[in-house]
Amino acid sequence: MLFSRLLALLALSAVLSACGGGGSSSSDSGASSSSSSSSSSSSSSSGGEFSLENARAIINSNADIAYAVYSDAVDTAVALQTAITNFKAEPTQTNLDAAKQAWLVAREPYGQSEVYRFRLSPIDSTNYQDEDGPEGDINAWPLGEALIDYVVTGSDFGSDQVEVASHSTTVNYPDENIINSSVTIDENLISNTATADDEHDVIAGYHAIEFMLWGQDLNLDGSADTETTRELSMVGNILTSGGHRPLEDFTSDTYAERRFQYLEVLVAKLINDLTSVRDGWAPNASYRTAFTSVANVAAARQKLAEILVGMGTLSEGELAGERMQIAFSSNSQEDEHSCFSDNTHRDIWLDAEGVSNSYFGDYAGYDSDLDGVDDVTTRAVSGYGFDDYLNAAGFSTLDDSLQQALANTATHTQAIDASARAGSPFDVLIMDENRNSDNPVYKAIIALNQQSALIADVAEVLGVDTSVVDEGASDCDTTQPDQTCE
């Protein structure tokens, strides 16, 4: 979302009345004249005219954004690979910090891309039919860190959290792990990831690289009993938060060379996987052609449904439930998204930003210096969004309500981001003593629940007969953020 658009939304939230949980009207009285006429139209379920031409405009903008954001994800992953190569050539603290910085920047475009999940797009499917895409190799979590390298266990990292019940590698776990064994470290090894029912055997992707660079987020004395004593980070220096892997792990340690080898294989596969996803969205690629080929109203509604399911499921089931409420309701540091780097505040913000991008049909680029402002804008997209469609079709009140809900979400996710930058990252916000309704994590979960309800309202007025939230995405009741998920 354009940063200026965000600021405008935040201002809007201050003057509009509070949004309801899906109570917007589909018989909107705030009709405005159409900005784009349609040569092919039909009645929506609400009685309004469905504009095939405007639906195509949404779909094409959505594809343009996907190609742009995944292209940026590939570029930043290549920059991460360069930083790791430099670190191996000269293993200094400065170069370790540079690799960490490159990982944090690489997360900026990727986080905005996650709204393209849950819809059989190239991140989740190789053929637009089966759920066989590379997402599990790219961004699965929680990680199987004990299967990868040494870990420290305690009250906050008990066997129930870090123990690997089963895996598909040849490592003799728990006596050995990937780093201290003689198992061959190659792409085949890390392709056997997330094969166990509990997925405690994740060994590939962004978070495996994160673990190798940061290590576990322990106490300063190296102990793991952190449930009530999580340290604050130093204000203004994001690299001081999170794990405390010593530089010696990459210099004097017996397994230093194998750690570099593992990092090299991880980042090479990450680039290959992201490239395959990007290429699926490239102009004239088979997936993109299939997605953007809309012959009639029924086909248009199907493609709009795919976009809306990505927006709704990421908002409510995945982000509010799996990524926030599970950790918040149980004070589980292991269940925070980027638990090694303490970068979860950015994961949350970027996911929310991606939903807004899809709604407005815009992509501003990504933040390359980690100050919270998108400054790499070479692939920015200013397209046609659901807001344009709703206003053209006479549903301006519903557009106002959803813009207000997105702004409300932005207010609370921005507060989570600001808290981390001020020294209290997500793992401090989820501690038992901080679990209350004034916590921005609590408020953001509620806001995302309300946002998803309004996305469902958009689907209804467009005549999309599909639930926009995948019921299997989460077992959390996101109307009760402090309740443990089943």
Side-chain angles (χ1 to χ4, degrees):
M1 176 171 57
L2 291 169
F3 191 72
S4 58
R5 179 73 69 91
L6 170 61
L7 295 177
L9 284 176
L10 293 175
L12 179 67
S13 70
V15 298
L16 295 176
S17 59
C19 63
S24 64
S25 172
S26 60
S27 57
D28 198 317
S29 60
S32 60
S33 60
S34 172
S35 62
S36 179
S37 62
S38 173
S39 58
S40 300
S41 62
S42 73
S43 296
S44 73
S45 63
S46 61
E49 289 293 318
F50 184 92
S51 169
L52 183 58
E53 181 179 344
N54 291 350
R56 285 176 174 143
I58 293 175
I59 293 164
N60 282 309
S61 291
N62 190 261
D64 289 341
I65 295 171
Y67 187 54
V69 72
Y70 282 121
S71 295
D72 284 341
V74 171
D75 285 357
T76 52
V78 171
L80 171 60
Q81 184 180 48
T82 300
I84 289 171
T85 299
N86 293 339
F87 177 39
K88 181 181 179 182
E90 189 177 353
T92 63
Q93 187 63 49
T94 297
N95 283 340
L96 174 57
D97 288 347
K100 290 179 178 179
Q101 184 93 2
W103 185 90
L104 293 167
V105 173
R107 295 292 291 173
E108 293 289 319
Y110 182 77
Q112 295 182 68
S113 79
E114 293 205 89
V115 73
Y116 289 91
R117 291 205 54 216
F118 317 111
R119 46 183 279 191
L120 295 178
S121 75
I123 186 71
D124 283 323
S125 176
T126 62
N127 58 10
Y128 211 176
Q129 297 181 28
D130 302 311
E131 293 186 22
D132 61 349
E135 195 279 336
D137 286 359
I138 292 174
N139 193 47
W141 63 283
L143 197 72
E145 57 261 49
L147 182 59
I148 297 172
D149 203 351
Y150 69 87
V151 295
V152 178
T153 59
S155 61
D156 209 14
F157 295 99
S159 59
D160 60 322
Q161 293 182 318
V162 300
E163 189 172 81
V164 180
S166 63
H167 59 96
S168 297
T169 74
T170 59
V171 173
N172 184 28
Y173 178 87
D175 295 331
E176 294 180 329
N177 56 54
I178 290 173
I179 297 301
N180 70 16
S181 70
S182 59
V183 67
T184 300
I185 298 175
D186 57 14
E187 181 169 333
N188 181 62
L189 173 71
I190 64 171
S191 294
N192 291 316
T193 189
T195 61
D197 289 341
D198 61 6
E199 297 187 347
H200 278 193
D201 61 333
V202 174
I203 56 174
Y206 282 109
H207 298 295
I209 298 172
E210 178 195 8
F211 173 59
M212 295 309 297
L213 294 177
W214 271 272
Q216 284 177 284
D217 186 4
L218 307 170
N219 291 316
L220 292 176
D221 64 1
S223 65
D225 297 317
T226 65
E227 286 187 331
T228 59
T229 59
R230 285 173 201 148
E231 75 276 11
L232 304 180
S233 60
M234 292 177 62
V235 177
N237 186 349
I238 198 166
L239 295 179
T240 63
S241 189
H244 307 288
R245 184 182 291 281
L247 178 64
E248 289 73 21
D249 278 4
F250 296 101
T251 56
S252 58
D253 188 81
T254 301
Y255 304 106
E257 177 59 29
R258 284 182 64 82
R259 291 192 178 93
F260 277 122
Q261 184 181 359
Y262 188 51
L263 274 170
E264 290 173 322
V265 172
L266 286 171
V267 75
K269 178 168 172 53
L270 178 65
I271 292 169
N272 289 339
D273 288 339
L274 288 171
T275 299
S276 72
V277 176
R278 179 202 64 188
D279 290 350
W281 285 102
N284 301 317
S286 59
Y287 169 78
R288 179 168 174 147
T289 299
F291 176 66
T292 57
S293 297
V294 178
N296 51 48
V297 170
R301 283 181 168 140
Q302 171 60 34
K303 305 303 170 56
L304 294 177
E306 293 170 17
I307 299 172
L308 292 166
V309 167
M311 295 167 60
T313 300
L314 179 62
S315 296
E316 200 275 331
E318 184 69 15
L319 179 55
E322 294 296 294
R323 301 188 179 192
M324 297 176 69
Q325 186 164 335
I326 288 178
F328 179 70
S329 63
S330 59
N331 184 20
S332 175
Q333 192 175 11
E334 179 70 9
D335 285 309
E336 73 162 310
H337 195 174
S338 292
C339 65
F340 308 112
S341 63
D342 270 354
N343 195 49
T344 304
H345 59 288
R346 293 304 296 168
D347 298 323
I348 293 168
W349 167 263
L350 293 165
D351 279 355
E353 186 177 21
V355 174
S356 290
N357 291 348
S358 285
Y359 184 71
F360 292 112
D362 295 338
Y363 171 61
Y366 67 92
D367 177 9
S368 68
D369 54 11
L370 306 178
D371 65 353
V373 179
D374 296 329
D375 59 292
V376 178
T377 60
T378 51
R379 296 190 176 101
V381 174
S382 181
Y384 192 90
F386 287 97
D387 59 326
D388 299 311
Y389 186 106
L390 292 176
N391 281 290
F395 296 106
S396 58
T397 299
L398 177 55
D399 171 52
D400 287 345
S401 295
L402 189 42
Q403 288 205 35
Q404 178 184 317
L406 292 169
N408 196 35
T409 295
T411 296
H412 301 310
T413 55
Q414 190 177 52
I416 295 169
D417 185 272
S419 174
R421 293 176 189 276
S424 295
F426 183 80
D427 63 0
V428 173
L429 290 176
I430 65 174
M431 291 171 64
D432 290 340
E433 64 197 64
N434 297 325
R435 191 180 307 130
N436 57 66
S437 60
D438 291 328
N439 190 311
V441 177
Y442 185 105
K443 292 180 177 179
I445 293 171
I446 293 290
L448 286 161
N449 173 283
Q450 295 172 340
Q451 174 179 301
S452 70
L454 286 164
I455 293 170
D457 285 354
V458 171
E460 182 179 348
V461 302
L462 293 175
V464 173
D465 186 21
T466 299
S467 173
V468 301
V469 178
D470 183 347
E471 294 181 356
S474 175
D475 293 324
C476 300
D477 176 2
T478 55
T479 65
Q480 304 291 331
D482 52 357
Q483 286 190 4
T484 303
C485 303
E486 295 180 359

